[in-house]
Amino acid sequence: MIEIIQQTSKTEENLENKLPKNIRQIGNPEKDFRIYMEDYVYTYLHPAQIPGVEVGILPRLLILLGEINHFSNRSCAFISGAIQVENSECREALPELNEATWRKVHQEMQRFFDKCEIVGWVLDIPGNALEISREMEEIHRINFVSKYQFFFLMDSQEREEAFYTWKEGSLRRKEGYFIYYEKNPQMQEYMISRREALYGEMPQPEEVPDQAAKNYRAMMMQKKEQSYKGKTGILSYLISILTVIALCTVSVILLGSIKRMDNMEQTISVMSIAMESTEGEGDAGKNSIAIETIGGNVEPLEKAAAQTRQEPEIAAADPLIQDPDALQNPGITQDSDDALSPDVSQESGDAQKGSSDSNTDSAKEAFSGTSASDFTEAAKYLEQGYYIVQPGDSLRQICYRIYQTHKMVEKICEVNEIENQDAIYVGQKIILPK
C-alpha cells in the first residue's frame, strides 16, 4: 500500500502570514493555483549551481516535500524539501516507486523533514526536451492521487524545466512559478548528508589568514580616503575661486568710487577757481551792477500824480521855464520897470542867477525824472548811434534812458529786427534810431 499524507485544514488568517515576502517570479504563474519553491531546493535540483558538482547524464527521480495552503480565491503549494530516490539495481534505468522506495523516503522525511508532506515529484532526464510520456502519466496517476500534487519535469543538460498538474485525466503544463528566499536548515542538513554519502566526509578547512580580504579592505579604505581628499580639494578650489571673484568685484567697485571722487574733486577745484575769479572781477568793478543813490523824499503815488498834473501850470506861470534867455540872464526880467543901480542890480542878479539855476535844475529833474549826467550819457549814445546791452538791461529801460520815453521801443525793434523785445542778451549791439 502507498501511504498518502493528507492535507490538514488551517485557518486563512494564519496562512496569510505564511506568504513569503522575498520572491522571484519565473514565467507567468496562474492565479488559481500557485507554486512556491524555496531557493535551497531549487539549487539542489540544479547540480550545475553547486560548486564541485558536474551535471550528470543519468536520470534522477526526487520527491518534493512541503505544504499546500488554501485561501479564499486560490491555493498555494510551498516546496521546502526534496528527497532523491535511489535505484540500487540499475542506475541507468528510471528509478521505480515501489514499497521499498516509499519506505526509505518516509525514513528520510522523519529524519530531516518531519513537519512536511508530499506535494509532488521530480523527474530529471538529460536530453528529454520536456516530452511527457505515457509512462510518466501512469506513475503520477498511481502514486499522486491529489489534484494539488504536481509533477516537475527537468532537462538539466539543456537547462529546461516545467511544472505539470493532473487535469482531466492528463498532465497539463503550468506557465510559471515563484522562488522564495527563507532560512531552511532542514534542507541544508539533507544536502550536507547527501554530499558526505557520495564523496565522504569533507575535511575541515584550514584557518588561513585572508590576506586578500585584508588587502581589499585596505585598498577600499585608501580609495575612500582619496575620494574624501579629492572632494575636499575641489571644495577648497571652489571656495578660492569665489573668494578671488569677490575680491575682484570689491576692487572694481573701490576703483570706480575713487575715480568718481577724483572727478568730483576736480569739479570742485574748477568751481572754486571760477568763483575766485568772479569775486576778483567784482572787486575790480567788472561785471558789477552800479547802484546810484539819489537823495530825495519818498512821496505817495497819489501825491506824485497830482504834482505831475500841476507841473504844466507851474511851467506856464514860471517865466524861467517860458523864456530860456531868462535862464541864461536871470538878473533881467521882462516886467521890471524899476531902475536899479549897477551894483545892486549885479548883486541881486548874481543871487537870483544862483537860485534860478538851482530852481531850473530841480524843475528839469522833477519834470523829466533824469539828471544832467543822464542827458549827457543819452546824447553820447545818440551821437555814436548804438548801445551795447549790459547785465540787467531791458529794451524798455534802454529806450527810456536814451529817449526819456517808451514810445521809441517799437522803432528800435524795427531797426534792429527784434521780434521779441524781451529777447535781448548781454553784449548785443542795439542800433539807435534818431
Side-chain angles (χ1 to χ4, degrees), residues 409-418 430-433:
V409 173
E410 296 181 359
K411 185 67 174 177
I412 294 173
C413 292
E414 182 180 352
V415 172
N416 293 275
E417 297 181 355
I418 297 175
I430 306 295
I431 304 300
L432 301 175

Side-chain angles (χ1 to χ4, degrees), residues 187-365:
M187 191 63 197
Q188 290 179 2
E189 292 179 5
Y190 178 77
M191 292 171 66
I192 293 171
S193 65
R194 286 289 302 173
R195 188 178 183 85
E196 291 177 354
L198 293 174
Y199 305 105
E201 186 177 357
M202 299 296 294
Q204 293 293 333
E206 297 181 6
E207 293 185 0
V208 180
D210 194 352
Q211 189 64 31
K214 291 182 180 180
N215 294 337
Y216 178 76
R217 291 193 188 97
M219 182 180 66
M220 291 302 294
M221 291 296 294
Q222 185 178 4
K223 187 175 181 181
K224 186 176 180 181
E225 185 177 356
Q226 290 177 355
S227 176
Y228 176 76
K229 289 182 179 179
K231 292 180 180 179
T232 307
I234 293 173
L235 183 60
S236 302
Y237 179 71
L238 292 176
I239 292 174
S240 301
I241 291 176
L242 293 176
T243 305
V244 170
I245 292 173
L247 290 175
C248 292
T249 305
V250 172
S251 300
V252 170
I253 294 173
L254 289 176
L255 290 175
S257 301
I258 292 171
K259 188 174 181 180
R260 287 194 296 270
M261 291 176 66
D262 291 341
N263 294 335
M264 187 180 297
E265 185 177 356
Q266 292 178 3
T267 304
I268 293 172
S269 176
V270 171
M271 291 176 63
S272 301
I273 294 172
M275 291 176 66
E276 290 176 359
S277 62
T278 304
E279 291 177 358
E281 291 178 358
D283 294 340
K286 297 181 181 179
N287 296 329
S288 61
I289 300 174
I291 301 175
E292 182 179 357
T293 304
I294 300 174
N297 296 325
V298 178
E299 297 180 354
L301 294 176
E302 294 81 357
K303 186 176 180 180
Q307 184 177 359
T308 305
R309 287 194 299 271
Q310 291 175 3
E311 284 177 356
E313 298 177 359
I314 296 171
D318 193 348
L320 296 176
I321 301 175
Q322 289 179 352
D323 191 1
D325 295 334
L327 293 174
Q328 297 176 0
N329 191 9
I332 301 172
T333 61
Q334 295 178 356
D335 297 334
S336 178
D337 294 333
D338 297 335
L340 299 176
S341 62
D343 296 333
V344 174
S345 299
Q346 187 175 359
E347 292 177 359
S348 61
D350 294 335
Q352 289 178 0
K353 183 178 180 180
S355 61
S356 296
D357 291 338
S358 62
N359 291 334
T360 302
D361 295 338
S362 299
K364 287 183 178 180
E365 291 178 2

Side-chain angles (χ1 to χ4, degrees), residues 3 5 63-65 102 106 109 116-120 144 149:
E3 182 178 358
I5 300 178
I63 304 298
L64 296 176
L65 308 174
W102 282 112
H106 288 301
M109 288 178 60
C116 296
E117 58 180 313
I118 298 174
V119 295
F144 305 94
Q149 292 177 331

